[in-house]
Amino acid sequence: MTSGFPGPSNPSARIDTSVAHPARRYNYWLGGKDNFQADRDSGDAWAAQFPTIRVSARENRRFLRRAVTHLARDAGIRQFLDIGTGIPTADNTHQVAQSIAPEARVVYVDNDPIVLAHARALLTSSPEGATAYLDADLRDPQRILDHPDLRRTLDLTRPVGLMLVAILHFVPDDDDPYGVVARLLDALPAGSHLVVSHATGDHLPVPLPPRPAGKSHDGDPNGLVVLRSRDEFTRFFTGLELVAPGVRSVAQWRAEQEPQPRPTAAEVSMYAAVGRKV
C-alpha cells in the first residue's frame, strides 16, 4: 500500500538553489547528485573546518540502518515515524524495516521542498506495508500528529519507532527541542522507541562555533547547528529506558559487524542512542 502523493504538484517552485539546504548538503557529503553549487560550497566550507564530515555523514546513515534493523528484528516494531527524512538514498527506513517485516508501515516527515520533490522514492512500499510522506516541520509536532495521512498510516495505540536522526541539532534551544520530543513521545504508547543521532563538540580538540544551517525555502534562517554535549544529548531520553549499549558515538552503536577499524569518536563527532518507552 502507498499513500497518495503529497502536494503541491510542483514542489520545485519552492526550491531556492541560491542558498544551501541541510538535506542537499548532506546528500553532497554522501556522494549524491541531488544538490546545487550553493550546497557544495557550503559543504566544502564545513569540510574545511571538520575534514572528516563525509565520514560522519556515512556513519550516521549506517547507524540509521542498524537502529531500524534492531527495532524491526529484535524489538518487534512495525510502525515508524521518521522526522527529518532527508533526500532518499540507499537503505531508507521503509526499505530496511520492510526487508525484515514486509508489513511495516512508515510515515516520513520533512519540510525541505527538494525532499518533497523526491518523495515518490519514499512511497515505494511493499504490498503488505504502507508508506506516507508529510510536508511538515519537526517544530510543529501537533500538526504532524494530527495529520490525516499519519492517522491513516499509523495506529498510535500500538508501538512506534520515532526516528530523529541528525535533525535535532538544527533545532536551537529557543525552539524547545526537549519539549518537542516530549510531546511526540507523549502521543506514543509504551513499547515505542526513540532513535536519535546528534552532532556534538565534545570530542573536538578545538570547539567549533555554531554554524549557520543555511536558509529555508522561504528565505528564513533555519537556525544554528547546535553541538550539544553528552549530558544535553542524554536529556532527550529522560524517562526512557536506554537500549544497550546506551549512549555511544554514532560509529560505535551496535557496530560490531561493520568494517573494522571503526572511525573514532572525534572523526564522527556525533552521539547516538535508542530508548524504549516503558
Side-chain angles (χ1 to χ4, degrees):
M1 172 186 171
T2 299
S3 80
F5 182 70
S9 59
N10 184 23
S12 60
R14 292 167 45 199
I15 297 172
D16 184 350
T17 64
S18 67
V19 294
H21 287 247
R24 299 196 310 246
R25 184 170 51 228
Y26 186 63
N27 175 265
Y28 171 58
W29 288 331
L30 289 174
K33 299 179 180 178
D34 296 307
N35 50 74
F36 299 96
Q37 191 61 49
D39 309 303
R40 296 188 285 273
D41 290 344
S42 175
D44 290 344
W46 279 73
Q49 292 198 53
F50 183 39
T52 55
I53 188 68
R54 291 174 177 84
V55 174
S56 183
R58 290 194 297 268
E59 290 301 325
N60 179 70
R61 196 69 190 180
R62 287 172 173 158
F63 164 69
L64 181 147
R65 185 192 67 231
R66 298 195 303 271
V68 173
T69 297
H70 165 71
L71 294 192
R73 183 188 64 200
D74 304 327
I77 297 296
R78 297 295 180 264
Q79 304 187 109
F80 295 82
L81 176 56
D82 185 338
I83 305 178
T85 301
I87 296 170
T89 183
D91 293 333
N92 298 299
T93 295
H94 76 283
Q95 294 169 320
V96 178
Q98 291 179 351
S99 72
I100 297 166
E103 70 275 21
R105 305 171 74 86
V106 180
V107 171
Y108 292 105
V109 182
D110 207 295
N111 68 340
D112 190 324
I114 199 168
V115 181
L116 174 60
H118 288 270
R120 289 187 192 277
L122 299 172
L123 300 178
T124 54
S125 172
S126 66
E128 303 93 333
T131 59
Y133 180 91
L134 312 184
D135 184 23
D137 194 310
L138 169 62
R139 292 167 293 188
D140 190 358
Q142 204 57 50
R143 180 171 182 267
I144 295 171
L145 293 167
D146 291 341
H147 199 289
D149 284 350
L150 182 144
R151 295 290 176 164
R152 278 192 290 266
T153 309
L154 304 183
D155 177 358
L156 297 188
T157 68
R158 299 174 54 218
V160 173
L162 174 59
M163 311 290 297
L164 299 175
V165 176
I167 182 64
L168 285 167
H169 46 238
F170 294 116
V171 184
D173 289 343
D174 288 349
D175 286 336
D176 190 20
Y178 299 104
V180 166
V181 173
R183 284 192 288 277
L184 289 166
L185 287 170
D186 284 347
L188 306 180
S192 295
H193 287 64
L194 172 66
V195 177
V196 181
S197 62
H198 195 297
T200 183
D202 283 358
H203 309 296
L204 300 178
V206 178
L208 294 178
R211 296 268 311 168
K215 294 183 180 180
S216 61
H217 67 273
D218 58 4
D220 291 332
N222 242 351
L224 299 176
V225 174
V226 183
L227 303 177
R228 294 190 169 96
S229 68
R230 181 188 177 95
D231 286 347
E232 291 170 325
F233 172 80
T234 304
R235 185 180 162 193
F236 287 114
F237 295 88
T238 299
L240 303 183
E241 179 182 87
L242 281 173
V243 172
V247 175
R248 291 290 187 273
S249 161
V250 76
Q252 296 168 348
W253 193 92
R254 297 201 175 200
E256 294 80 9
Q257 303 305 313
E258 297 282 8
Q260 304 292 328
R262 306 301 299 133
T264 66
E267 286 175 312
V268 294
S269 290
M270 293 187 76
Y271 286 121
V274 176
R276 181 178 182 272
K277 185 174 180 179
V278 296

